[in-house]
Amino acid sequence: MSQNSHGIGGLTFDEKKKVRAPEWNVFFALILIVAIFEALGFMLQGQSFLFDSAGRFDSIFNEARLKIIILQVAIVGIIAIGSTQVIILGGIDLSPGSVVGLTAMVAMSFAQVAEVNGLANPKLMFDGIADLPVIAPLVVGILCGVLAGLVNGALIAYTKIPPFIATLGMMVTARGAAKWWSKGQPISFPTESYAAIGEGMNPVFIFIALAILFHLILTYTVYGKHTYAIGSNEQASRMSGINVERHKVLVYTIAATLAALAAVVLSSKNLTAQAGMGVMYELDAIAMTVIGGVSLSGGRGSIIGTVIGSLIFGVIISGFTFLKLDAYYQEMVKGAIIVGAVVLDQWRQTRASARL
Amino acid sequence: MSDIILETRDLTKHYGGVHALEGANFQIHKGEHVAIMGDNGAGKSTFVRQITAVEQRTRGEVIFDGKPVHFAGPIEAREAGIETVFQNLALADDLDVPSNLFLGREKVKFNLGPFSILDRKAMREATMAGLVKTGVKIPNIMNPIRNMSGGQRQCVAIARTAAFHSKLTIMDEPTAALGVQETAQVENIIKTLKEQGESLILISHNMRQVFDLMDRIVVFRRGRICANLNVRDTDPQDVVAYITGAKTGAEYADAV
């Protein structure tokens, strides 16, 4: 009998009998995919994918490519943190891409400078509203997200319409609102303090900080426990006294708020906001989540899985560029990967139930 | 008088025009094990749903532990000490045993509303204690219960009761979906609860089980109680006669 086994009446929580965390499988997949690109790189390009084969950097890694990979996934990754929670809850959220568009427009219009090169800002959205402290666009942006999320959550929880439909409605509506906000014009010239939010590697740090925060929340709080419980068995959760409706509103609100944060970071990084920002981000976020082992049937998955899933996603995209694969093929392969990940999830589930 | 743990007076539930439960007068004493029998649609589950406040009653009184009660929902009933094991296992398959036991009433270290920090160690220890009490053997309580057998899962559901020192346990057909061995396992737990002096209401169709384990049988027919029988003074044929309507208890003559 091992050290941590409590042998009372056959009751144990022996670490050895614990099933391996599925995140490990996702991690092995990441290693495997990197290895494949390394092999293909040497065969087709004659150079390493992630390692510094040309001696251009101080370390053994190809720092430039690593940076691009993480930076590329950081903003969609922030959205994926929200999508993870929604999918664990047993729902789906198609609106974050449009919420990004709307929030970017609204937040940016409160982040503009009064003067550009000594002349009045030609793109100023509201007369007199300029040079506000950075807190103003941040709060306004977050409020946008909270509002969109409350509408999503309330529709799903209280009218009982499927999440797919409710968030599809929000996806179309928010995109429309984003275009209406400035009548289709891009909004530019943010203040320096706003531009600082998404500068350099900041999006990556924000992504990592939010990932850690929500990993802790999902693992150690009642909120997390109830999210998994509802996704696993909604009826049982209700009978156990969990306020399922209120919890759903909370989860969708958090997801949309994360999308709003992503919008602030994105518009700040790009120094401009356009109504078309964030198109298809929701699908990329769902892809990262599913690749990361979060089950579309709810109840299973983790933020760690999604973070690794986002890295896999970034590695694949970057790997295709590295292999000089045409952009058209990239999108087609991306679609195949998403479907593949879901097939894998189904297969895992049938295998798990066959073991009974 | 004071040893009556639960009493219902004129408990009635109408679903629109359907009289699912009509004027149920029922008593259970402390430490007593009472079976509720009856055909499908006789009102057994409806009766339980009124007591546990899963639904709100149309009329009547529920007196629990000496006081009239009017629970707003199942969580309130549970806090008062009525523990229910539902027919369709109210368990979340992807969660481990402690999480299931404490579902909806997690122990917390710091109260921060929905973001309260869980006290995982305390829940794990209470789970162990609860399972030891019922004698359930589970390989590893920290694994998701998805991988457990039907019997083990039912035992987890029942172990909730033991873990929370409830005053009254209600089981709605706990062995309906179980195999022979698993049924025996659950029946063992019921015996253990009897030895520990826990009160229990058991809904069951299984005549042998009821006669083996219970003290008293209350028969429901078409929404009304039609018999209240001491297990020692009756036999299965008699009970079947009450269930099918061939006989009606003298004191329930109006139930026909």
Side-chain angles (χ1 to χ4, degrees), chain A residues 18-28 302:
Chain A
K18 210 168 168 179
V19 284
R20 186 177 61 186
E23 285 76 15
W24 282 107
N25 296 338
V26 185
F27 183 70
F28 295 141
S302 70

Side-chain angles (χ1 to χ4, degrees), chain A residues 95 99 102-103 143-153 170 174 252-253 256:
Chain A
S95 69
V99 171
L102 175 61
T103 307
L143 280 179
C144 265
V146 169
L147 188 70
L150 280 176
V151 172
N152 275 342
M170 178 56 72
Y252 280 96
T253 304

Side-chain angles (χ1 to χ4, degrees), chain B residues 54-160:
Chain B
V54 171
E55 293 167 0
Q56 292 301 321
R57 55 193 185 248
T58 309
R59 184 176 79 230
E61 266 185 279
V62 176
I63 296 132
F64 179 64
D65 209 10
K67 289 181 289 286
V69 287
H70 220 295
F71 303 124
I75 193 102
E76 242 178 65
R78 207 164 60 178
E79 273 161 11
I82 302 180
E83 199 68 36
T84 314
V85 179
F86 289 99
Q87 200 165 6
N88 46 348
L89 298 167
L91 297 171
D93 276 0
D94 298 303
L95 302 185
D96 55 26
V97 178
S99 305
N100 267 294
L101 247 61
F102 287 89
L103 199 59
R105 55 181 154 183
E106 290 79 5
K107 285 181 189 239
V108 297
K109 274 189 208 157
F110 305 105
N111 196 346
L112 306 164
F115 298 104
S116 299
I117 314 287
L118 296 164
D119 191 348
R120 304 209 287 184
K121 187 157 171 278
M123 290 197 277
R124 197 169 60 214
E125 279 163 5
T127 302
M128 302 284 261
L131 292 180
V132 167
K133 213 166 142 190
T134 51
V136 181
K137 287 184 170 53
I138 284 167
N140 185 355
I141 61 165
M142 300 312 281
N143 274 346
I145 62 160
R146 188 179 346 117
N147 302 327
M148 295 177 186
S149 74
Q152 284 174 332
R153 289 148 54 97
Q154 189 61 272
C155 292
V156 169
I158 294 171
R160 280 183 176 180

